[in-house]
Amino acid sequence: MRLHLDNFTKRFDGNPVIEGMNFVVEDGEMLALLGPSGCGKSTTLFAIAGIYRADGGRILFGDRDVTNLPSQRRNVGVVFQNYALYPHMSVEENIGFPLTVGRIRRDKAEVARAVREIAELIHIEELLARKPAQLSGGQQQRVALARALVRRPGILLLDEPLANLDARLRLEMRSEIRRIQLETGITAILVTHDQVEAMSMCDRVAIMERGRILQIGPPTELYRAPVNRFVAGFLGNPPIVFLEGRTAGQGSFAMDQGLHLPLPPRLRGLPADRPISLGIRPEHFGTGGTAQATGRVTFVEPQGRETLFDIETAPGVILRSVQPAREDVGVGDIVTWPIDVDNLLAFDAEGTRL
Amino acid sequence: MTRNFATLPLLLLLIVISLPLTVMYGFLILDTFTDAPPGELWPDRFTLEHWRFLFDGGEIGNVWAAAGNSLILAGSMTVIVLTVSTTGAYALSRLNLPFRRFFLAGVLVMHAFPSVTLLIGVFFVLNLTGLYNSMIGVILVKSSLMLPFGIWIMKGFYDAVPWEIEMAGVQDGASRFTVWRRLILPQVKPGLVALSVFSFLDGWGEYLLPRILAPGSDMEVLSVFLNELIAADQLGFNFNLFKSVGVFYTLPVVLLYVIFQHRLMNIFGGGTKG
């Protein structure tokens, strides 16, 4: 089902938390709301679920205006961060619960069949008799997902679903949730503060800050063409490095500390002596390109497949580089590595990308 | 279990301290089955004479009727306290009521209020409503005095249930009432059990209210019955009979405690969250 937030506004005690938010999630699409804690992403999610009442604007499911409908009548499935399984019920009763309440009365056989069907989809058939306390974190997560999906909701909302899992399980559940979302073709919204989750699981990502959506688009677009410094800094691990400086003559960039770099061709026309900041992603330093920077290695972090380097190219100016694992460079070495100028990002004084 | 101090001296100390109590309880039980020569402490013969009151009410009156009345008082009170506490505490814990803070503060103040000072006022109210000298009046007063405690304890249990469970229930399509009944209530069951045992025992042991608020009622509760026993001049003091009735009165309490002792501890574990 298509979801449309139209000029949605939410206030807490009179303070606007979200003001005039607009976005559309197409039918069958999975959207991530990504942002630091307190940016309003969970508030948005709970407003879609109907737990919070909207203070302005409209929420549309397809053509249906649900702004003033209570949660019970919205038919939205929610997976909570702590799963919120009902501890006194077995897994089967947990999953079946949504079918035993509400207007439509179903007989036991029908409920049992629906539960079995969804349990097979989620791969938890063998757990049905257990109590939530007897399950591991990943299994609880699956049960919560099954319970959210058993009613065949129009929209699935996931509130930090992976935050309570250990790293390995997180990886596994990431692809599992995506698989189930694709198999059921359900419209889904994922709230997370983890950029890897957002980028790897979703069709589109909306980056939020202080109650506003800064940019919304496919993950690669956000990564390659962020609208501003915040988006550029939020996406990417290890993160982008920002250099503060000014434009100098002949389309170049100069820092007070003495580092000079050429600007990408599309920005050569900028007037001189304008304060800008240059963003260099670690994969664009040390792997190829037209310009070069020389510096002393101050930090090496081997990560198995890759190695991270910190290079001090001028006093206090540290560039980061990530390269396929190599052991020929150590701390204190002086290196001259290429910079991929075409992929540099530049931002004006207000933080908007140029 | 790890031991980081010697338990034996501690055990000895506890035994010595509790010795007077144990001796008293021992004699309480012993005296109900025996007779001692006048002036002697140690009994010299076994007798079931003192337990005759169980089936022969001629001497002191019908003890079963009194026990039945105590049961009615304790039982009705438990039902009222449970019903009002579970619903009221849920509202205070979860619903966005107007004057919620005021109610909470009120409950706490009432909890700490010495109820004896209310007696005169309660007397007037009962007199005015015509409930003076009736069991219903005693039950209502006793229940309302117990309610602040019950509500406060139950609120603590409700507060410990995560909000997400409630949200999940609503999201699953259940009404707030269904959520409360099928999802929240089972989580606070330990509190319910403990509270019902507490209020039952409280009602069972109550002496003051029935004595003062229903002195002429024909529904005499066991505690008042017991008191009449030593107040009745015509019998003289039959201490062993008095002790037998006392043991009879205590048995349900001991029994309840043995059955529910683990659950009773819950009230202090789970109910402390304000």
Side-chain angles (χ1 to χ4, degrees):
Chain A
M1 195 182 296
R2 185 174 184 265
L3 169 76
H4 183 190
L5 254 69
D6 179 20
N7 211 19
F8 163 69
T9 299
K10 178 68 197 167
R11 300 187 192 92
F12 283 127
D13 302 325
N15 302 321
V17 180
I18 290 162
E19 195 102 58
M21 179 187 277
N22 294 290
F23 68 80
V24 172
V25 189
E26 296 298 341
D27 187 27
E29 189 187 28
M30 186 156 175
L31 176 85
L33 294 178
L34 175 65
S37 30
C39 72
K41 55 192 193 298
S42 286
T43 307
T44 310
L45 190 87
F46 287 145
I48 297 169
I51 291 166
Y52 292 157
R53 199 61 50 87
D55 292 314
R58 294 188 304 158
I59 300 170
L60 297 154
F61 290 179
D63 296 326
R64 198 160 62 110
D65 187 341
V66 299
T67 318
N68 295 313
L69 280 188
S71 302
Q72 289 94 337
R73 296 180 50 198
R74 292 196 184 185
N75 199 16
V76 167
V78 184
V79 175
F80 293 89
Q81 182 176 347
N82 60 4
Y83 319 135
L85 298 179
Y86 312 134
H88 58 292
M89 295 182 179
S90 71
V91 167
E92 182 163 17
E93 288 165 326
N94 260 286
I95 301 174
F97 180 79
L99 300 177
T100 63
V101 297
R103 291 151 192 230
I104 312 154
R105 294 277 156 218
R106 296 174 179 82
D107 56 48
K108 276 188 183 155
E110 203 180 331
V111 171
R113 189 160 4 99
V115 168
R116 184 144 289 278
E117 216 168 275
I118 202 82
E120 274 164 21
L121 173 73
I122 316 262
H123 302 327
I124 46 170
E125 308 97 299
E126 70 287 356
L127 304 175
L128 287 179
R130 293 208 209 161
K131 286 275 171 72
Q134 300 165 313
L135 302 177
S136 70
Q139 291 168 333
Q140 291 188 23
Q141 165 83 77
R142 284 172 189 265
V143 174
L145 197 59
R147 191 182 62 189
L149 288 172
V150 75
R151 255 195 333 164
R152 311 215 167 279
I155 289 166
L156 176 67
L157 303 178
L158 304 148
D159 182 22
E160 305 261 6
L162 306 177
N164 289 6
L165 298 177
D166 62 50
R168 222 188 120 88
L169 262 177
R170 199 174 299 183
L171 209 69
E172 181 191 321
M173 285 312 291
R174 219 158 69 190
S175 49
E176 267 302 276
I177 292 178
R178 179 61 163 164
R179 170 184 74 81
I180 291 157
Q181 188 264 333
L182 287 174
E183 263 178 51
T184 51
I186 192 171
T187 310
I189 295 188
L190 169 79
V191 158
T192 179
H193 59 259
D194 183 342
Q195 41 140 342
V196 183
E197 274 172 34
M199 294 175 76
S200 61
M201 290 168 73
C202 295
D203 300 304
R204 283 193 304 154
V205 177
I207 295 216
M208 290 181 67
E209 190 205 13
R210 280 186 245 138
R212 286 175 306 128
I213 290 184
L214 299 178
Q215 190 174 4
I216 184 165
T220 42
E221 180 188 315
L222 263 64
Y223 189 76
R224 290 215 186 104
V227 290
N228 61 21
R229 264 189 77 143
F230 182 84
V231 176
F234 203 83
L235 293 184
N237 184 30
I240 194 168
V241 172
F242 292 110
L243 304 175
E244 311 298 334
R246 294 173 170 278
T247 49
Q250 292 99 42
S252 70
F253 168 85
M255 292 180 74
D256 295 343
Q257 288 89 338
L259 182 71
H260 290 264
L261 288 172
L263 283 172
R266 64 189 142 82
L267 294 173
R268 296 249 157 96
L270 283 178
D273 208 29
R274 209 177 131 176
I276 62 167
S277 57
L278 209 58
I280 307 176
R281 291 207 186 272
E283 64 268 31
H284 297 145
F285 176 46
T287 48
T290 50
Q292 280 186 334
T294 303
R296 198 170 52 87
V297 177
T298 59
F299 184 71
V300 179
E301 185 181 310
Q303 290 189 338
R305 188 181 44 209
E306 290 161 346
T307 309
L308 255 61
F309 299 97
D310 280 2
I311 319 289
E312 191 170 24
T313 47
V317 180
I318 293 180
L319 291 185
R320 209 169 284 136
S321 167
V322 57
Q323 298 175 32
R326 57 189 281 186
E327 285 163 22
D328 54 329
V329 178
V331 173
D333 293 356
I334 305 290
V335 292
T336 300
W337 280 341
I339 291 182
D340 186 355
V341 174
D342 291 345
N343 280 314
L344 293 187
L345 301 168
F347 304 92
D348 66 14
E350 279 78 48
T352 312
R353 187 172 63 93
L354 296 164
Chain B
M1 204 173 80
T2 55
R3 292 186 176 177
N4 43 17
F5 55 88
T7 45
L8 196 64
L10 197 70
L11 212 62
L12 280 175
L13 187 72
L14 283 175
I15 290 175
V16 169
I17 291 177
S18 52
L19 205 58
L21 263 177
T22 331
V23 169
M24 282 199 286
Y25 275 117
F27 267 97
L28 178 69
I29 308 282
L30 189 67
D31 282 354
T32 64
F33 290 108
T34 56
D35 265 330
E40 292 278 323
L41 189 67
W42 209 248
D44 58 355
R45 57 188 174 277
F46 174 81
T47 172
L48 285 172
E49 175 70 18
H50 309 306
W51 285 98
R52 265 189 60 197
F53 69 91
L54 284 180
F55 43 90
D56 176 13
E59 196 182 357
I60 55 167
N62 191 350
V63 72
W64 292 107
N69 292 336
S70 275
L71 194 68
I72 290 174
L73 169 62
S76 331
M77 175 187 156
T78 306
V79 170
I80 295 179
V81 167
L82 272 193
T83 324
V84 180
S85 297
T86 44
T87 45
Y90 178 77
L92 281 179
S93 168
R94 287 293 155 90
L95 304 183
N96 200 1
L97 296 175
F99 305 115
R100 182 170 165 273
R101 289 191 65 85
F102 172 78
F103 276 119
L104 273 179
V107 166
L108 204 57
V109 169
M110 301 280 274
H111 183 25
F113 208 80
S115 54
V116 184
T117 54
L118 293 172
L119 271 180
I120 309 286
V122 166
F123 171 77
F124 276 117
V125 172
L126 287 188
N127 222 354
L128 201 72
T129 49
L131 289 173
Y132 179 66
N133 241 342
S134 76
M135 189 59 137
I136 298 181
V138 175
I139 290 171
L140 286 180
V141 171
K142 185 67 195 146
S143 308
S144 37
L145 290 179
M146 183 78 185
L147 272 179
F149 170 77
I151 292 177
W152 194 255
I153 289 290
M154 286 316 296
K155 182 189 169 288
F157 276 93
Y158 280 126
D159 286 347
V161 179
W163 256 113
E164 280 83 4
I165 291 211
E166 202 143 336
M167 293 192 207
V170 166
Q171 223 48 249
D172 285 343
S175 66
R176 266 323 261 282
F177 179 76
T178 310
V179 168
W180 172 72
R181 194 174 54 84
R182 287 187 53 190
L183 301 182
I184 308 297
L185 218 47
Q187 321 288 327
V188 298
K189 221 153 101 198
L192 284 180
V193 174
L195 181 60
S196 50
V197 174
F198 259 98
S199 42
F200 186 88
L201 291 183
D202 203 36
W204 184 260
E206 183 62 30
Y207 168 72
L208 199 62
L209 290 179
R211 174 89 227 171
I212 294 173
L213 299 177
S217 165
D218 30 308
M219 292 189 76
E220 195 179 45
V221 296
L222 207 45
S223 54
V224 178
F225 180 90
L226 191 62
N227 183 55
E228 304 272 284
L229 215 55
I230 40 171
D233 289 332
Q234 69 272 17
L235 272 178
F237 293 131
N238 185 344
F239 273 125
N240 286 12
L241 176 63
F242 181 70
K243 284 176 184 170
S244 303
V245 180
V247 169
F248 173 72
Y249 184 33
T250 322
L251 276 179
V253 179
V254 175
L255 209 68
L256 273 181
Y257 184 76
V258 169
I259 299 173
F260 289 110
Q261 51 175 336
H262 295 296
R263 308 269 190 139
L264 286 180
M265 291 306 148
N266 261 331
I267 217 163
F268 301 110
T272 45
K273 227 180 128 199

